[in-house]
Amino acid sequence: MARGDKEKLKAERFLGLLKPIERELEVYGRRLTFHSEDALDAIQNAVLRAYRAFDRYHEDASFRAWMFRILTNEIFALNRKRGRIAKFEVAVDMENWQAIVERAHSEEYPYTAASMEDFSKILDEDLIKALEALNEVEKSVLLMKAVGGLRYREIAESLEIPLGSVMGYLFRARQKMRNALLRSQRRLEG
Amino acid sequence: MNCLEARKRMQLYLDSELEAETSFEIEKHLETCSECAAMFKSEQGFHQRVSGFLSKGERTPSLWESVESKLMPGRFRVGLKSIWPVAAAVLVVFLAVLWFQPKTETMELAAAAEESHRAYVHRVIGPDFDGPVPEKTARALEGKLDTAAFYCQPSAAGFVSRGKRVCHIDDVPAAVILGHCEGVPVSVMVFERNALERFPKTKRYVGSGESVVCSRAGSYQLAVRIVGKHLVCVIADLSRRRVEELALSVNDRT
């Protein structure tokens, strides 16, 4: 096969996998960058980088997870360049994760069905503020789950962190969001 | 399965990360325990509200068209193949110009400042704050850059500050004042004076005795000057004279 034909097939195959997840990648990129204009640069760079490395991509791996990984690295690098440094907290192993969950579900655990009965009342602005309270990695894990629909294992591969840490970050991210939302809900009621 | 066991697995259940058998056991428990059922329902409502909001957003067709067009094979190769004689001729002319032009040395600070200023012009970056330096920023810069740097701004008529931010220019922290003059974006980058050690060519020029040193920085004009404990660098798409005036109007605030 001629070199040109081979290249064309590669591009077609790559675009065939990319197109269905373009919207998710863009939404993820815009939410994870500190300045939404940066998202466009990060997306362009990530796609070109992924295409150059596409020969090394194996079909048995998730293309979605692979693309999210490349885009995340690109955004973290860009955020670092802008003086915002990604802070990976201490990795949470499975045992710690169990301890966190058990503590959270102890009697003092603050949320009850009654206090959280109507989430539709929560304003989008409150959600944006709550999201800003998360650190870069918590935000990334939460967005990979919510926007990309990635499984825990895929998120662990994307961020190169243990599975237990994914659960820990996700749990903490949701906890922080929940607390921030509860506070704003109480403010509205009070 | 009891309440504690079910609640421990609530996140995994709602994220569909459990095996079918465990999920089934949880569902059986929820049928008999109204308290857990209410908690699961509430948590599910929270997940849905957050996920629904976070995943909102449209695909921008122009962005993806531009990205995809860069992947189309042959675009560059075919172009180069057909125009290689022209490309070779251009290369010869370019080398000749390089050979005969006077040997000048550009300041390394110019390239780094240009990159940062370009990001401001194209609205990739913007001010982070105005007025006093936020405590968090001051703490992060402790020992690297004093907060007085944020007040070293041009006093020349026509310059208007839009706000300030911290940038790392070639990994050196700088207080950056982003503003405009005559409608043209202007970046004022203020470093600790010892930052000159990181920019030896710039140091040589600045140490030559001139009160202000001017240079081209890509398509912009750059003026560099020592002001007290600081190294001030003004960059804009303005005339050399105007940029020089702006740099000279920066007062020592230390």
Side-chain angles (χ1 to χ4, degrees):
Chain A
M1 192 187 291
R3 194 183 149 85
D5 292 340
K6 212 173 154 187
E7 197 65 20
K8 194 176 165 205
L9 276 178
K10 176 184 164 184
E12 280 172 0
R13 206 174 128 241
F14 181 81
L15 287 175
L17 292 166
L18 181 71
K19 276 182 183 291
I21 59 168
E22 286 177 350
R23 192 193 73 83
E24 282 97 330
L25 286 172
E26 186 175 342
V27 173
Y28 174 79
R30 284 187 190 275
R31 295 229 184 267
L32 191 61
T33 41
F34 286 98
H35 300 282
S36 76
E37 302 94 330
D38 283 354
L40 307 185
D41 284 342
I43 290 166
Q44 293 219 21
N45 293 346
V47 172
L48 296 177
R49 197 179 290 275
Y51 182 69
R52 281 198 296 272
F54 192 50
D55 295 328
R56 296 197 297 276
Y57 164 73
H58 299 291
E59 275 190 2
D60 49 348
S62 156
F63 181 78
R64 181 182 287 262
W66 187 66
M67 270 312 302
F68 271 83
R69 173 191 188 152
I70 295 172
L71 180 56
T72 306
N73 287 340
E74 204 59 51
I75 293 172
F76 281 4
L78 204 64
N79 285 345
R80 267 196 299 277
K81 201 173 166 190
R82 303 263 177 269
R84 321 275 186 134
I85 294 160
K87 286 190 184 102
F88 274 84
E89 290 174 4
V90 179
V92 181
D93 58 28
M94 279 306 279
E95 280 178 25
N96 283 339
W97 152 249
Q98 285 298 340
I100 290 170
V101 175
E102 275 174 36
R103 212 165 41 241
H105 293 296
S106 67
E107 282 174 22
E108 303 87 54
Y109 191 46
Y111 79 78
T112 62
S115 66
M116 302 290 280
E117 63 186 353
D118 192 1
F119 288 99
S120 59
K121 283 182 193 161
I122 295 167
L123 301 171
D124 282 359
E125 297 90 89
D126 290 330
L127 283 162
I128 292 171
K129 268 189 221 154
L131 189 67
E132 281 167 5
L134 306 185
N135 74 34
E136 208 174 30
V137 186
E138 288 165 349
K139 208 192 274 187
S140 167
V141 171
L142 182 66
L143 289 170
M144 280 193 192
K145 185 77 204 155
V147 182
L150 299 189
R151 309 293 308 265
Y152 289 179
R153 189 158 295 286
E154 291 176 320
I155 299 174
E157 280 169 19
S158 293
L159 291 173
E160 294 173 309
I161 55 176
L163 192 66
S165 300
V166 172
M167 296 179 192
Y169 280 123
L170 192 57
F171 186 81
R172 263 203 302 269
R174 283 174 173 155
Q175 186 91 319
K176 281 188 186 176
M177 293 281 285
R178 189 184 293 114
N179 290 343
L181 295 174
L182 275 174
R183 275 198 299 274
S184 57
Q185 215 172 23
R186 281 191 201 121
R187 257 200 317 275
L188 279 176
E189 287 164 4
Chain B
M1 185 176 283
N2 62 31
C3 293
L4 184 65
E5 286 169 336
R7 290 177 192 189
K8 253 194 224 175
R9 293 170 174 81
M10 181 165 69
Q11 301 287 333
L12 296 166
Y13 172 78
L14 294 174
D15 285 334
S16 308
E17 292 281 346
L18 289 175
E19 285 177 8
E21 199 182 329
T22 319
S23 293
F24 181 66
E25 276 184 45
I26 287 180
E27 277 153 25
K28 255 179 28 192
H29 174 75
L30 296 180
E31 277 170 21
T32 57
C33 175
S34 58
E35 208 184 314
C36 282
M39 183 181 264
F40 271 62
K41 200 175 165 200
S42 166
E43 185 66 7
Q44 191 174 22
F46 170 69
H47 281 207
Q48 282 170 355
R49 178 70 181 102
V50 171
S51 296
F53 166 73
L54 293 178
S55 54
K56 251 194 316 198
E58 293 302 315
R59 172 185 175 276
T60 310
S62 58
L63 164 71
W64 292 98
E65 277 158 22
S66 140
V67 171
E68 287 168 13
S69 72
K70 288 184 179 134
L71 303 180
M72 292 325 283
R75 213 165 66 113
F76 302 109
R77 190 168 47 253
V78 170
L80 280 180
K81 211 172 180 177
S82 56
I83 60 159
W84 75 264
V86 181
V90 169
L91 184 67
V92 169
V93 172
F94 177 70
L95 289 174
V97 169
L98 269 187
W99 181 258
F100 289 110
Q101 79 168 4
K103 304 286 181 288
T104 55
E105 207 179 17
T106 50
M107 292 190 285
E108 65 284 76
L109 180 58
E114 186 208 351
E115 191 192 337
S116 171
H117 184 60
R118 192 174 294 281
Y120 168 50
V121 171
H122 294 285
R123 299 186 181 184
V124 174
I125 61 167
D128 275 346
F129 63 93
D130 203 3
V133 183
E135 260 182 53
K136 203 176 156 191
T137 309
R139 269 201 308 275
L141 290 173
E142 219 168 88
K144 297 176 209 156
L145 181 67
D146 69 314
T147 50
F150 289 93
Y151 302 96
C152 292
Q153 68 178 57
S155 55
F159 176 79
V160 180
S161 163
R162 284 186 55 223
K164 301 158 189 179
R165 63 173 293 132
V166 178
C167 275
H168 287 78
I169 315 286
D170 267 6
D171 291 332
V172 183
V176 181
I177 296 130
L178 301 169
H180 58 88
C181 183
E182 298 156 12
V184 175
V186 177
S187 293
V188 181
M189 296 157 198
V190 186
F191 304 84
E192 287 282 315
R193 188 177 177 157
N194 61 16
L196 275 174
E197 301 306 321
R198 282 293 307 274
F199 305 113
K201 288 179 197 165
T202 310
K203 186 181 176 185
R204 218 162 40 238
Y205 281 100
V206 174
S208 66
E210 295 286 326
S211 63
V212 58
V213 176
C214 293
S215 159
R216 288 301 296 176
S219 50
Y220 308 114
Q221 185 66 50
L222 174 91
V224 181
R225 183 180 162 230
I226 295 283
V227 182
K229 281 165 57 185
H230 298 109
L231 172 71
V232 176
C233 162
V234 180
I235 180 167
D237 189 7
L238 289 167
S239 69
R240 178 184 169 134
R241 204 175 138 203
R242 194 74 183 106
V243 175
E244 194 174 356
E245 270 171 19
L246 289 174
L248 285 168
S249 73
V250 175
N251 296 318
D252 182 9
R253 296 300 178 104
T254 51

